[in-house]
Amino acid sequence: MKFLTSFVANKKFLIYLSLFCMMLFAIYFSVTVFAHTSLRLDEAQSLFQTNRDVPGLLNLVAQDVHVPLYHILLHYWQVLFGNDIFTARMMSLVFFVATIPAVYFLATYIFNRRVGLFAALLITISPFMDWYGSEARMYSMLAFFTVVHQLAFMKLFREGKPVHWVWFTVTAILGIYSHYFFAFVLLAEIVFFILARKEFAVKKAFRKFTISGILVAASIAPWLYYVYKLGTASNTQPSLMEPTSVDLFNTYAQFIFGFQVDSLNTVIVSLWPIVVLLAFFGLQKSRKTTKEALFLVAASVVPVLGAFFISVTLRPFYQSRYLIVALPALVIFIAWIISTYPKKLALALRAILVAGILGLFVVQTLNPATPVKEDYSQAVGYLNNKATSKDVIVLSAPFTIYPTEYYYTGPAKVTTQPIWNRFEQGSVPAFDPAKLDAEVKSNTDSYQTAWLMLSYDQGYNEKIKNYYDNHFERMSQKEFSKNLWVYSYKVRYDPPIAITN
């Protein structure tokens, strides 16, 4: 009994118990809530790409906008455990759960256990992390490798042991094979190295970083060459809008408070001056801002600004989920800033922040209008009940055929607008207004009713809908989640031909 009392009183035991409870929180909400939501477009692509042999998988991923590590792991995960969407999401959950102690160890190494525990709590209850921790995509894996890699980088900064170079290089290779945006993690480290190169513990750090960089570049070169040979990732690239300064604030709001409807998000974003003031006073309060704190600033800002700058100058590819690499550093920085305030004020700020995040966590979960929700399950279930063998289902954008086919079990033909055969090499055909009339006739001429499902607008859904409205009688319309609509149109009025013996 005395041993047990002593064990429980041990600080390490309480810390590990707290981390264990956080991991249980993430597992519970993923298994009971998030993993049971409708399959989303990106997830459907993951299942389509990984449901084939490895050479076929690599071919498809190379024509997409991603790198193959996640898909290869998911392929073998499905071989072992099954290929339904719930099972696929569990692999993402593994990486999310592993990220929680990883954040604790990184924050504790840089600052102290108190900061580490609060940072781990913030990452646990982050609606953004919980969402992507239960999505069959690579984002939670990317976040995990980012944190483990940044811990190696900090150990190089303070200690510089040979094992840390191996750790740093291996995790850099794993990270760059998880997502191209891991390059922004490396860019943030380069920025920090330039600012603090004289304070690195290791001698000849520049030469060693150069060697490590060459190894990482050499490891990704074969993949880039393969992508180049196949047409530089041109198969299913979505049409993305050029970001604005509002997207910058939205990104950080989403990191902390998740995905909210516009009215609520406006309120959250409008609070940014208060947040900046609190951070400013926190930095003023801290007599000496450590170099490690500056690294966290670089790690949470450089990826976002880097992606923004390239998106407005070269090509739009700004997506907050790609920037999940900036989230762990951000929550650690917030946890540290709050720790610099007087105890009572820090306690109050922690309580307000946790209560606010948990409240918005609930709103994101329960609100059917949450922007990232895609209810293909209900929409296609509706088509399963309504569409007959005399009908045709027309999808736009064309790549929404992936989640549709996952759920569709009915007898109607399923086609796309523009017409696309995804089994052929090459990209999704561009929308051509001159071909619209001919393509609609080709899709609908033999059928009584056309069911038009519109989602993921690539800039032409309204034109397609207007064409159907102007040429056919609209029978019904229904929205299943934000911008996911199903319309039905009467195409023919002559009675269908009955074939009898």
Side-chain angles (χ1 to χ4, degrees), residues 49 56-68 71 223 227 233:
Q49 291 165 339
L57 176 160
L58 294 175
N59 183 280
L60 282 176
V61 174
Q63 296 177 70
D64 201 346
V65 292
H66 294 290
V67 279
H71 298 83
W223 174 255
V227 171

Side-chain angles (χ1 to χ4, degrees), residues 47-306:
L47 297 184
F48 176 77
Q49 291 165 339
T50 56
N51 190 24
R52 57 204 68 244
D53 59 19
V54 172
L57 176 160
L58 294 175
N59 183 280
L60 282 176
V61 174
Q63 296 177 70
D64 201 346
V65 292
H66 294 290
V67 279
L69 178 59
Y70 169 80
H71 298 83
I72 293 172
L73 291 178
L74 182 59
H75 171 79
Y76 287 108
W77 176 274
Q78 290 174 311
V79 170
L80 290 173
F81 303 112
N83 61 357
D84 60 282
I85 184 59
F86 180 86
T87 305
R89 286 171 172 172
M90 290 303 100
M91 194 179 91
S92 297
L93 178 61
V94 169
F95 285 105
F96 173 34
V97 170
T99 303
I100 294 169
V103 165
Y104 166 77
F105 287 119
L106 175 58
T108 301
Y109 182 74
I110 294 177
F111 299 113
N112 54 56
R113 288 174 178 169
R114 178 169 296 183
V115 173
L117 268 182
F118 191 56
L121 176 62
L122 292 180
I123 208 85
T124 301
I125 63 175
S126 162
F128 189 93
M129 276 301 299
D130 278 270
W131 183 261
Y132 289 112
S134 302
E135 181 172 277
R137 297 296 276 176
M138 69 293 294
Y139 304 115
S140 63
M141 185 176 87
L142 176 63
F144 172 74
F145 284 135
T146 296
V147 176
V148 176
H149 175 76
Q150 288 173 336
L151 180 55
F153 184 73
M154 283 290 92
K155 284 187 175 287
L156 284 176
F157 177 64
R158 286 184 177 177
E159 303 174 46
K161 296 177 181 177
V163 67
H164 299 150
W165 286 106
V166 176
W167 177 356
F168 174 83
T169 305
V170 170
T171 51
I173 293 171
L174 292 172
I176 203 67
Y177 265 97
S178 298
H179 200 284
Y180 290 117
F181 269 44
F182 190 83
F184 288 115
V185 176
L186 303 178
L187 178 62
E189 291 169 350
I190 291 172
V191 170
F192 179 74
F193 178 76
I194 293 172
L195 296 175
R197 61 188 183 282
K198 293 181 179 178
E199 298 182 44
F200 270 75
V202 63
K203 294 180 180 178
K204 299 178 180 177
F206 178 76
R207 180 190 297 178
K208 293 179 180 178
F209 274 120
T210 302
I211 293 171
S212 179
I214 291 171
L215 290 173
V216 175
S219 73
I220 195 67
W223 174 255
L224 295 179
Y225 178 69
Y226 183 56
V227 171
Y228 173 75
K229 280 185 63 181
L230 291 178
T232 59
S234 61
N235 196 5
T236 57
Q237 293 183 44
S239 173
L240 300 177
M241 299 290 290
E242 185 176 295
T244 67
S245 56
V246 175
D247 293 305
L248 290 175
F249 296 108
N250 281 339
T251 297
Y252 287 107
Q254 289 172 3
F255 282 168
I256 304 302
F257 300 111
F259 302 98
Q260 308 298 335
V261 294
D262 290 343
S263 56
L264 194 52
N265 198 51
T266 302
V267 175
I268 296 169
V269 173
S270 67
L271 297 176
W272 73 265
I274 299 174
V275 175
V276 171
L277 282 175
L278 286 172
F280 177 76
F281 287 130
L283 290 171
Q284 289 289 93
K285 179 76 178 174
S286 179
R287 293 177 182 176
K288 184 180 179 183
T289 302
T290 64
K291 283 289 187 296
E292 289 87 341
L294 293 179
F295 167 70
L296 293 174
V297 173
S300 57
V301 171
V302 168
V304 177
L305 291 182

